[in-house]
Every structure is written in structure tokens, then in C-alpha cells.
Amino acid sequence: MPIITLQLPTVKRKNKSRPQKCRYCHGETFQRWGKVGKPTRDLRVRKIQVYRYRCCSCRRTFRHYPLGVDRADQTQRLRKLAAIYWVLGMSLRSVAIALRPFNVKISHMTVWRDLQEQARLHEKRLYWKKVRVLGVDGAYPLIKGKKPSVLVAVDLGDGKPIAIGKVDESNPHAVRRWLEPLVKRLGVSVIVTDDLASYRTVAEKLGLEHQVCQFHVRRWVGRHLRELRETVPEEWDWVLDEIRDLLAELPIEGSKRLFELWKQIPERRVGQVGARSPLEKLRNLLIRLSEHWDSYRVFDWQKDVPWTNNRTEQAIGRMKMRSRTVRGYKSWPGMHTALLLSGSGVDW
Ligand SMILES: [Zn+2]
């Protein structure tokens, strides 16, 4: 397990420096205008001193807070710590309880607000991130007794989620509407997804390299091969073996070879009706694999592209775990940012 350091904001009791600029008019000279004691909620600091200043230009007064403190009762350190406890798996109520031994009394709704604040800050930082390889996958988290269809985008450079949207992954228009601005902003050049046709369409429309998760491909091709093994005439068994071997090795010439195999299987006779025969199913499989072959092996020539979408699924797993404990709480906007944060781990 990697070593994780919790980066918590520092909290100072006093601010020794004077303000640099007036927050109202950007004036640069001030008069000290008294001081006040302010009680704070924090693990260690119970009270701080705040100096008030008056701007010599606009004559307005303002408080000049020490590091780690602002208008809120809770210090920045406590707010972040509450959110980290939640991300680590505690419920909102448990976080409130866990802080009591430190003489910190906050309600579970305060914890929820702290979480929202951290999530918003996190989202702002994500906005400016650059991502070359993006994993995209659908998820169905349980929210208020419902399971909305959700798309999750993960930076495959560090395995952290970048965005979550309520999007139906089987609808190419919806997927594109959601993905296009994201891809442009992040500077994405490769997406990694499962084998859904909608992703294929969108990757093509947006001019992205597309790696299809090989776990998914092996799963569905394996299923087809088992079925065909039972149904196609035995004389064609060698074709099934060859498909299996090609998928295991993913050679560069695989597409050509599959196409040759496709040509060798007899076509359905004209005028024949009824369900597709096993041999036709085999033909369909061959041509489909041949046409999609390039999207199976992008990882082979682009070293930072993974051959599965595993890390995206792991991030989704972390979010699903969290979504269960906030059920009944809030609406989608709140939920969405909290999920984004929980998928990221604690080092934000
Ligand atoms: Zn001023």
C-alpha cells in the first residue's frame, strides 16, 4: 500500500503580518483598528486573535485573519479533516462522534457542509488539470433509492476521477454532449472504455484514439466462443481456436487474419429465412473483431495507455462504497461532488 500523507492546513493563533491589500479598494496603507478574540473549533486551537484594520484609502474596516482561519467557526484544518474522515469510510454521524474526544462539537449536517466545501475546492483544482489518457465508464450508484445512470471519467495517469455526469452511456449523443467539452478542456488524446457502440461512435467523432478494455472483450468473446463451440459443425472448431489465440496475443496483423477467416466461412444462401445459423454468428463475430482490432491494441504502441479500464472501475468502486452511506441525504448536485472527492482518495 502506498504511503499517504494527510496534508492539513496550518492554523495560527495570531497573524503577525499586516494586510497587503485592501479587499475593497486594493489600497495598500492601513491603520490598526482594534483586535478581537474569536473562539474557533479545531483540534488544538480554541481561540485566536484577529486584528481589525482600517484602509486609509477607502476608510472601510475589515478583519485580517491568521493562517488557517476565516469567517467560519471551524478552522480550515478541521473542515478538511472532517471531509477526510468521511472519505476514509465513516458516516457523517460517525465523523461528528469521532471529533468529540478532541472537544470539537459539530453536527452531522456540519460535516456534510464541510464535505461539500472540500468537494467544490477539489472540483476547481480538477478544472485546470491536463489529462492525456481518460478512462470512461458507466456506473449506477444508489442515490435516494434510485439507481441513475452515471458516467465517470478518470485520469488514467493517476487513477483519480475527473468528472461525473448523469448521462445514459448507451446514448451516443448524450455521451458526446458530456464528453466533448471535457476532452477539449483537459486536452485528452486517448479514451479507454468498454466495448459499447456509443463510445466507439464518440471516439471517432471527436478524433480520439480509442483503447477498448480487454477484460470486457475477453469476457464477451469468451461467451460467444463457448456458445459457438456447442453449435457450429466440428470442422470449424479450428477457427474458434484461432480467434481465442489471436485475442490472447493481440498481434498487429490480427485484423487481416480475422478478415481472411471471415472470407472462408460460407455465406447464408440467398432467400434463406429464419434465425441466424451458428455459422453466420461466427462470421459476424469475425468481421466485428476484425473491424475493431485497432481499438484493442492502442496500448501496444502508446506506453501510457493501459490495456484495461481497471483503474476507472476501481475509482467507481470507491465511489459506490461511499454513495451507500449518504443515501437519503441530498440531491444530485451535492452527491455528485462528494462522490468525486471520495473517488480521489485522501491526498487532495
Ligand atoms: Zn480600501
Side-chain angles (χ1 to χ4, degrees), residues 42-184:
D42 184 70
L43 298 181
R44 290 194 288 275
V45 179
R46 304 288 168 213
K47 196 173 177 188
I48 55 143
Q49 261 186 16
V50 190
Y51 289 107
R52 298 179 70 227
Y53 287 90
R54 190 168 89 141
C55 171
C56 298
S57 322
C58 74
R59 300 183 178 272
R60 288 206 256 194
T61 58
F62 58 90
R63 292 175 164 209
H64 185 48
Y65 292 101
L67 199 64
V69 184
D70 46 34
R71 287 171 57 191
D73 287 353
Q74 302 178 76
T75 62
Q76 289 163 7
R77 172 163 64 197
L78 183 67
R79 273 135 66 195
K80 183 165 178 184
L81 187 68
I84 284 176
Y85 279 171
W86 182 85
V87 166
L88 286 173
M90 295 169 87
S91 70
L92 299 173
R93 280 174 207 281
S94 312
V95 174
I97 292 167
L99 290 170
R100 275 185 214 156
F102 300 99
N103 258 327
V104 173
K105 291 194 187 86
I106 54 174
S107 73
H108 67 280
M109 285 314 292
T110 304
V111 178
W112 174 255
R113 278 192 297 272
D114 291 346
L115 182 61
Q116 294 292 304
E117 184 204 17
Q118 293 300 318
R120 276 192 304 272
L121 291 173
H122 183 59
E123 214 175 17
K124 260 186 210 158
R125 285 190 295 268
L126 290 181
Y127 192 88
W128 300 107
K129 212 173 165 183
K130 287 288 155 226
V131 177
R132 203 184 90 78
V133 186
L134 191 72
V136 181
D137 200 3
Y140 301 86
L142 186 64
I143 298 171
K144 282 194 152 182
K146 288 186 188 149
K147 287 195 168 184
S149 175
V150 163
L151 267 193
V152 180
V154 173
D155 174 359
L156 291 176
D158 63 10
K160 296 192 175 190
I162 287 283
I164 305 177
K166 251 188 188 171
V167 181
D168 175 10
E169 66 170 338
S170 62
N171 176 349
H173 298 293
V175 173
R176 181 177 175 176
R177 242 193 332 269
W178 185 73
L179 215 50
E180 189 161 15
L182 198 63
V183 156
K184 289 202 170 131

Side-chain angles (χ1 to χ4, degrees), residues 310-328:
N310 229 3
R311 295 188 84 180
T312 306
E313 284 166 28
Q314 282 166 2
I316 289 173
R318 289 195 294 271
M319 289 186 242
K320 276 190 176 168
M321 221 162 57
R322 287 288 43 193
S323 75
R324 276 184 222 124
T325 65
V326 283
R327 72 178 155 232

Side-chain angles (χ1 to χ4, degrees), residues 232-243:
V232 296
E234 242 172 71
E235 57 187 296
W236 296 103
D237 270 2
W238 64 273
V239 178
L240 302 181
D241 293 340
E242 203 167 331
I243 295 174

